[in-house]
Amino acid sequence: MTNKTDNNQSPIDIIRQNQRLEERVNFIKAIFLDIFFVFYSILLLQRAIYYKFILDLRDIPFSWEGIIILFVISVFIGASWTFTKTSLSCKLFGIAKDNKVTKWSVEISGWFLFNITFIAGWIITKLSIVDLFSSEGIKGAERLFGALFKPEFGIFDDALFAMIETIYIALLATLISIPITLFISFFTARNLMKGNKTTFIIYYVLRLILNFVRSIEPLIWAIIFSVWVGIGPFAGMIALLVHTIASNAKLYSEAIESIEQGPVEAISATGANKIQVVWYAVVPQIILPFLSFTIYRWDINVRMATIIGLVGGGGIGTMLMQYQGLAMWHEVGLIVLMIAIVVWVMDYISAKIREAIY
Amino acid sequence: MILKVKNLHKIYKNGMHALKGLNIEVQKGEFLVIIGLSGSGKSTLLRCINRLIEPTAGTVEFMGKDITHVKGEELRKVKAQIGMIFQHFNLINRHSVLKNVISGKLGQLKTLNSILGNFTDDIYEEAYRNLEIVGIKEKAKERADTLSGGEQQRVAIARSLMQNPKLLLADEPVASLDPATSNSVMKFFEKVNKEFGTTVICNLHFLSLVRKYATRVIALKSGEIIYEGEPSEIDEKWFKTIYGEEAEEVEIR
Ligand SMILES: Nc1ncnc2c1ncn2[C@@H]1O[C@H](COP(=O)(O)OP(=O)(O)O)[C@@H](O)[C@H]1O
Ligand SMILES: [Mg+2]
């Protein structure tokens, strides 16, 4: 009888080796994070607080050389900070020395990062608050609100038709997304795919693509597709479809990842293959969350479809854009009122349905 | 000999050394009980045997064949011959009792048929027969999560009987049941062991149950075997060694 594993290293060695490796990896992570902290602080101090607040410059000077110099300085300071093993990141990754210096270093730097972030945010937004209260702006807003409260019912039929178009765009995008998302979500669930290298690579690449697609707003997708397939409801539907698939695939796979492992183990232990395990142990656990997400998404899509219309995705949004361009505020008022009612009703219905399933 | 475990080590990813070179031999027809405190490695051992997790070192031989490194189809064939019962039953809650029992047969069914729910009459008959063995034939059509704990565990036993297992592993099968129910569930393991000659390896906590059902006992402590022998030989002194000085025996019958 041959025994392949007898001449392996002893288990104790494996444990020690793993520990050393983990510490080294954490140290490298800590260096990067410390450099980032320092670079971030210096940038904020220079650009937001010094240039914008203290010197009050309108045009802030920018040069890549300047940034690079700052970065090199940060690398130097950040790395030295990590090497003392008293830095904020060392603490975060659990490799810091346990002494007074660490405590001070962590507390002061944490407090400092929080405060400059807050101050910089305040400096940056204050400028826009000033613009908001200019007298010209307020007068425009008054005119608009006045008209909105006296809607023009002459265009009711057209608006209703456009509204129905919007609802169907949303409905179709949601329906078509279901089978596609279902299929994809099994390949983007970590617990199903981490088994071997090939499946893990598929998982990783798919996740990357989905994250990318999701990070682009439906509005942008609508612009892209209206160039691709021409302005109109079709472009809007495809844009919503793409974004729905990417968002729901994430939600679906999270539902798959959070299922109880017990039944999965029990079914695997009977000698069932992967597909049987998914069908018998995974699917029954995820049907309800899937339904619920999908209904909620239909509700979101109705709202999105309205917005997408603004850039030529068809439906009520496109109509709104036309009347707004002509400054016909009473017509705009009717459309806005209609959108508000429909969104509210959809919201209510979808909440009721989701309650009923659970 | 049905099972031979040689120098088995398991080290988890976090560095936990859960099994430290176990050597165990199990004869056909035995009712082997494994005892030990929580965290002593009982579950890890059972999971290494049917390869729910991968052993770090050592070998597992099942029916004379080294199964430590088998993969894919071959591994599934091995799993199909080893039944497993869990503490928390691990039934599919939304499925009927009958469907849960039938799922024990998955390892021997074609993928497409099992997904479409095309089961032959033989399979239905077998499922009802196994439900009859554990005495809950009349609940076949009910949803699994409407059953009591003891009933759910009996469904789980029926499910593993569908595999016609050569070896039945049970990981604290009665730990979440009340004493009376525990005893009645244990009786079904005894029945399977005596009537079908199925070898049973069972993790247990209560010594009174161990004395009643085990033909042999192994005690684990921190991943090592510290006792092996007849259940009747476990006296006060051994009890304290296994469970610690503070421990006191509780009776359940
Ligand atoms: N998946 C896991 N990852 C890391 N450590 C684990 C894992 N499962 C169990 N352990 C550890 O291994 C040891 C043995 O656990 P286990 O076999 O579950 O013991 P028992 O079943 O006897 O209570 C425990 O210390 C436990 O914390
Ligand atoms: Mg356990």
Side-chain angles (χ1 to χ4, degrees):
Chain A
M1 198 177 335
T2 55
N3 191 341
K4 284 179 225 163
T5 41
D6 263 351
N7 39 17
N8 267 3
Q9 28 182 180
S10 93
I12 310 288
D13 284 343
I14 302 181
I15 296 177
R16 293 232 180 86
Q17 211 176 326
N18 287 349
Q19 270 171 356
R20 272 199 299 272
L21 187 70
E22 199 183 318
E23 252 172 49
R24 220 171 298 154
V25 170
N26 277 343
F27 186 69
I28 292 171
K29 284 190 208 160
I31 293 183
F32 280 109
L33 194 60
D34 275 330
I35 292 175
F36 168 77
F37 281 149
V38 175
F39 188 49
Y40 173 77
S41 316
I42 295 183
L43 270 189
L44 276 194
L45 281 178
Q46 188 209 24
R47 309 200 77 77
I49 297 176
Y50 182 65
Y51 285 154
K52 208 153 190 169
F53 188 63
I54 299 180
L55 300 186
D56 200 18
L57 298 179
R58 271 251 151 224
D59 299 308
I60 293 176
F62 178 87
S63 75
W64 279 112
E65 286 82 12
I67 300 277
I68 288 170
I69 291 171
L70 287 186
F71 185 69
V72 171
I73 297 175
S74 317
V75 169
F76 203 70
I77 301 178
S80 334
W81 195 24
T82 319
F83 273 100
T84 63
K85 294 251 174 152
T86 59
S87 71
L88 187 56
S89 311
C90 287
K91 184 81 186 172
L92 289 178
F93 288 114
I95 51 171
K97 283 186 198 153
D98 189 19
N99 61 20
K100 272 236 163 65
V101 184
T102 307
K103 194 165 166 273
W104 281 101
S105 153
V106 168
E107 270 178 19
I108 293 176
S109 56
W111 178 85
F112 179 73
L113 277 173
F114 176 80
N115 277 298
I116 56 167
T117 304
F118 184 77
I119 293 170
W122 180 62
I123 291 169
I124 290 166
T125 38
K126 197 181 80 170
L127 292 175
S128 351
I129 291 170
V130 171
D131 288 343
L132 186 65
F133 288 105
S134 73
S135 57
E136 203 180 318
I138 290 182
K139 230 179 274 165
E142 271 172 13
R143 207 169 46 237
L144 197 72
F145 278 112
L148 287 184
F149 286 112
K150 288 185 223 99
E152 166 60 56
F153 280 88
I155 57 156
F156 183 81
D157 295 354
D158 285 348
L160 188 66
F161 185 76
M163 192 73 236
I164 291 171
E165 192 174 285
T166 296
I167 293 176
Y168 272 85
I169 290 173
L171 184 66
L172 206 62
T174 315
L175 283 180
I176 298 178
S177 78
I178 295 174
I180 306 174
T181 318
L182 253 176
F183 182 74
I184 294 178
S185 61
F186 287 102
F187 294 94
T188 53
R190 200 186 178 85
N191 52 346
L192 300 182
M193 301 296 283
K194 72 180 171 197
N196 69 50
K197 274 213 178 81
T198 327
T199 54
F200 195 75
I201 290 173
I202 297 175
Y203 157 87
Y204 204 82
V205 171
L206 264 180
R207 278 249 155 158
L208 217 63
I209 297 175
L210 289 179
N211 282 341
F212 177 74
V213 171
R214 193 177 46 246
S215 66
I216 298 176
E217 284 292 313
L219 196 66
I220 314 279
W221 281 117
I223 294 172
I224 294 170
F225 282 112
S226 49
V227 174
W228 192 335
V229 302
I231 282 183
F234 185 48
M237 198 281 283
I238 300 272
L240 275 183
L241 177 63
V242 166
H243 199 261
T244 302
I245 291 172
S247 315
N248 271 5
K250 187 179 163 73
L251 289 177
Y252 283 18
S253 26
E254 272 167 10
I256 297 175
E257 283 166 10
S258 64
I259 57 169
E260 270 182 63
Q261 279 303 308
V264 176
E265 277 192 330
I267 299 294
S268 323
T270 66
N273 65 32
K274 199 116 202 178
I275 298 174
Q276 291 171 323
V277 172
V278 168
W279 186 256
Y280 274 84
V282 180
V283 170
Q285 294 195 60
I286 52 180
I287 280 187
L288 287 188
F290 275 25
L291 259 180
S292 165
F293 291 145
T294 308
I295 292 166
Y296 184 49
R297 185 69 202 191
W298 179 36
D299 171 18
I300 293 177
N301 278 350
V302 170
R303 274 176 274 162
M304 293 257 193
T306 315
I307 304 291
I308 279 175
L310 300 180
V311 296
I316 193 92
T318 303
M319 196 174 171
L320 176 70
M321 213 51 194
Q322 284 158 2
Y323 284 106
Q324 182 265 340
L326 299 171
M328 296 164 74
W329 301 116
H330 298 282
E331 282 78 359
V332 170
L334 178 80
I335 294 171
V336 170
L337 187 70
M338 207 164 209
I339 293 173
I341 292 174
V342 169
V343 166
W344 179 75
V345 170
M346 292 294 306
D347 197 67
Y348 182 79
I349 294 176
S350 104
K352 279 284 162 220
I353 298 180
R354 278 179 289 131
E355 259 171 45
I357 332 186
Y358 265 110
Chain B
M1 195 181 316
I2 191 159
L3 184 78
K4 188 169 177 183
V5 172
K6 281 203 319 195
N7 192 27
L8 188 71
H9 283 272
K10 174 65 191 178
I11 302 172
Y12 283 107
K13 279 218 181 70
N14 63 5
M16 181 68 212
H17 197 166
L19 298 180
K20 299 170 182 160
L22 301 190
N23 291 293
I24 298 171
E25 292 184 0
V26 185
Q27 303 296 334
K28 202 165 177 318
E30 270 195 272
F31 198 121
L32 173 65
V33 167
I34 300 177
I35 57 175
L37 286 173
S38 290
S40 55
K42 303 183 296 298
S43 304
T44 307
L45 172 61
L46 293 195
R47 278 149 193 277
C48 282
I49 290 174
N50 75 345
R51 295 277 305 281
L52 275 181
I53 55 176
E54 299 299 321
T56 313
T59 53
V60 178
E61 275 173 45
F62 175 62
M63 307 218 301
K65 188 165 165 285
D66 184 350
I67 59 161
T68 330
H69 302 289
V70 298
K71 287 202 178 78
E73 190 55 40
E74 215 182 335
L75 176 59
R76 287 199 291 277
K77 283 224 177 79
V78 171
K79 283 182 173 173
Q81 299 177 63
I82 304 178
M84 182 137 185
I85 307 289
F86 303 81
Q87 177 183 348
H88 298 293
F89 328 129
N90 292 355
L91 300 179
I92 314 298
N93 286 334
R94 297 171 51 79
H95 283 174
S96 70
V97 165
L98 187 64
K99 199 163 178 191
N100 267 291
V101 174
I102 287 176
S103 69
K105 205 78 191 169
L106 286 175
Q108 293 154 51
L109 295 177
K110 290 243 159 60
T111 307
L112 193 64
N113 281 341
S114 58
I115 284 179
L116 296 177
N118 280 339
F119 305 115
T120 57
D121 289 344
D122 287 350
I123 291 178
Y124 281 111
E125 262 171 46
E126 196 180 344
Y128 275 111
R129 209 161 50 235
N130 286 327
L131 276 174
E132 204 164 6
I133 290 173
V134 295
I136 36 174
K137 196 176 172 189
E138 73 284 357
K139 304 240 169 167
K141 291 277 154 54
E142 277 171 45
R143 245 180 79 149
D145 55 3
T146 60
L147 270 57
S148 72
E151 288 169 335
Q152 289 196 32
Q153 196 60 299
R154 280 144 70 188
V155 175
I157 294 174
R159 173 171 68 185
S160 65
L161 288 181
M162 289 301 279
Q163 296 174 239
N164 301 312
K166 303 281 184 303
L167 174 65
L168 190 56
L169 307 174
D171 192 359
E172 300 187 24
V174 295
S176 39
L177 303 176
D178 59 76
T181 317
S182 292
N183 212 351
S184 73
V185 167
M186 284 312 294
K187 282 219 167 71
F188 290 108
F189 283 105
E190 188 179 37
K191 189 168 167 186
V192 172
N193 177 247
K194 292 234 167 88
E195 283 178 23
F196 309 132
T198 309
T199 313
V200 177
I201 303 180
C202 180
N203 294 348
L204 278 181
H205 268 311
F206 288 108
L207 274 186
S208 43
L209 289 179
V210 177
R211 292 202 189 93
K212 200 156 164 190
Y213 296 103
T215 56
R216 187 156 65 100
V217 183
I218 285 180
L220 290 184
K221 190 170 192 175
S222 318
E224 284 169 301
I225 295 179
I226 55 162
Y227 174 86
E228 183 166 2
E230 300 272 321
S232 55
E233 292 164 8
I234 305 178
D235 52 18
E236 182 82 355
K237 188 172 137 275
W238 270 115
F239 183 80
K240 298 253 188 240
T241 322
I242 297 167
Y243 289 104
E245 286 300 324
E246 303 291 301
E248 277 201 37
E249 200 179 333
V250 246
E251 269 295 299
I252 86 165
R253 15 187 112 251

